[in-house]
C-alpha cells in the first residue's frame, strides 16, 4: 500500500500475558517458531534484598513461608504496634479509603489469612495498589501454599524511600522487607533484589 492508504488504528490491544514466577517458556519453543523472545518480559513475584541470602536459613523459596516456626517469618514480620503506625499509609489521604477495601477481601487495608493469629508470627508482604485480579491472585497463592503471610497494601507509599527505610530494621533480631511487585520495574531498579522461587503451578495438595 502507498503511504496515503496506511491508517494508524484508533485503538490497539496487547495480547501480552505476564508469566508467573518459575514459569519456563522455553518448552513452548519446540512447537512454535519464534522471531524474538517468547513470552512477556515482565514477571510478578515476591522480592527481597539479595544480601539476605547470606543468612543460615532459606528465604528465597516458597516453602520457607509455610512452616509456623520458620525463621523467614520473623525476618519479614511486623509487630502489632508497627502495623498500627503503618495504618495511615494504607489509606488514600484524599478519600480516606483503604487502598485495599473490604470488598476485595481486606480488613483495615490488610489481607490476613486465618492462620495468622495474634500469637502467630507472620511475614508481611508489602504491595502497592489493589484491584480484583491482583488481590485474588495473591490470596489464592497464599491460601494454596498455606503460607503464614499477611499482605499490607500501601498504594503510592511503596516507594524508594519506604524500601530504603525497611531494608534493615533496628531491633533485637534482623528484619527486612518483602515486596509483591513486578520486574522490570522502576521501583525495584535501584535495589539488588531476588525473587522467591515458586513452582510453575502450585498444587492445591502441597
Amino acid at each position: 500500500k502507498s503511504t496515503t492508504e496506511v491508517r494508524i488504528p484508533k485503538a490497539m490491544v496487547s495480547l501480552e500475558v505476564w508469566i508467573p514466577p518459575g514459569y519456563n517458556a522455553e518448552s513452548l519453543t519446540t512447537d512454535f517458531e519464534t522471531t524474538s523472545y517468547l513470552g512477556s518480559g515482565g514477571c510478578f513475584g515476591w522480592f527481597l534484598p539479595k544480601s539476605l541470602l547470606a543468612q543460615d536459613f532459606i528465604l528465597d523459596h516458597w516453602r520457607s513461608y509455610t512452616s509456623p516456626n520458620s525463621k523467614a517469618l520473623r525476618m519479614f514480620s511486623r509487630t502489632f504496634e508497627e502495623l498500627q503506625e503503618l495504618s495511615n499509609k494504607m489509606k488514600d489521604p484524599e478519600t480516606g479509603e483503604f487502598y485495599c477495601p473490604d470488598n476485595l477481601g481486606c480488613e483495615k487495608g490488610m489481607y490476613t489469612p486465618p492462620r495468622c493469629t495474634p500469637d502467630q508470627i507472620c511475614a508481611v508482604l508489602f504491595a502497592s495498589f489493589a484491584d480484583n485480579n491482583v488481590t485474588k491472585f495473591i490470596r489464592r497463592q497464599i491460601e494454596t501454599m498455606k503460607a503464614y503471610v499477611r499482605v499490607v497494601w500501601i498504594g503510592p507509599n511503596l516507594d524508594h524511600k519506604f524500601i530504603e527505610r525497611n531494608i534493615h530494621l533496628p531491633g533485637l533480631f534482623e528484619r527486612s522487607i518483602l515486596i509483591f511487585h513486578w520486574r522490570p520495574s522502576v521501583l525495584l531498579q535501584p535495589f539488588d533484589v531476588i525473587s522467591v522461587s515458586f513452582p510453575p503451578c502450585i498444587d492445591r495438595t502441597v
Side-chain angles (χ1 to χ4, degrees):
K1 293 183 178 181
S2 66
T3 55
T4 58
E5 295 176 304
V6 175
R7 295 289 185 271
I8 298 175
K10 294 182 179 180
M12 299 181 68
V13 176
S14 173
L15 299 180
E16 178 181 80
V17 177
W18 284 35
I19 57 177
Y23 187 85
N24 181 16
E26 292 183 3
S27 60
L28 300 177
T29 59
T30 57
D31 298 320
F32 300 94
E33 290 187 7
T34 61
T35 58
S36 62
Y37 179 80
L38 181 62
S40 167
C43 181
F44 287 107
W46 299 12
F47 297 92
L48 58 123
K50 196 172 184 179
S51 60
L52 297 178
L53 298 185
Q55 301 289 328
D56 60 355
F57 51 92
I58 297 174
L59 291 167
D60 60 339
H61 192 275
W62 66 275
R63 287 193 184 276
S64 298
Y65 303 90
T66 61
S67 170
N69 300 314
S70 172
K71 293 181 180 179
L73 304 183
R74 174 169 287 183
M75 173 63 73
F76 302 113
S77 66
R78 296 296 185 272
T79 65
F80 174 79
E81 291 75 19
E82 288 171 330
L83 291 175
Q84 288 291 99
E85 292 177 3
L86 284 169
S87 61
N88 65 318
K89 294 185 181 296
M90 302 179 202
K91 292 182 179 180
D92 186 324
E94 295 184 0
T95 64
E97 296 181 355
F98 288 106
Y99 290 112
C100 186
D102 293 357
N103 62 0
L104 291 182
C106 289
E107 183 177 353
K108 295 182 179 179
M110 295 183 289
Y111 166 65
T112 303
R115 65 190 65 84
C116 287
T117 62
D119 298 327
Q120 172 63 52
I121 294 177
C122 282
V124 170
L125 179 66
F126 287 100
S128 54
F129 293 96
D131 62 34
N132 185 59
N133 291 329
V134 173
T135 53
K136 185 177 180 180
F137 171 78
I138 298 180
R139 288 172 56 194
R140 182 182 298 171
Q141 190 177 39
I142 290 174
E143 289 307 318
T144 302
M145 293 164 53
K146 297 180 175 61
Y148 291 83
V149 177
R150 62 165 47 92
V151 187
V152 174
W153 303 86
I154 58 175
N157 295 303
L158 184 58
D159 55 19
H160 292 160
K161 290 183 178 180
F162 183 84
I163 295 175
E164 289 172 354
R165 288 196 300 266
N166 283 269
I167 284 181
H168 298 291
L169 290 180
L172 297 176
F173 49 86
E174 184 176 3
R175 290 183 302 156
S176 188
I177 187 171
L178 185 64
I179 304 167
F180 175 82
H181 206 63
W182 57 87
R183 191 165 58 180
S185 163
V186 173
L187 177 67
L188 299 179
Q189 190 275 331
F191 306 98
D192 189 12
V193 296
I194 189 170
S195 61
V196 175
S197 297
F198 292 93
C201 182
I202 298 177
D203 193 320
R204 292 185 180 274
T205 62
V206 297

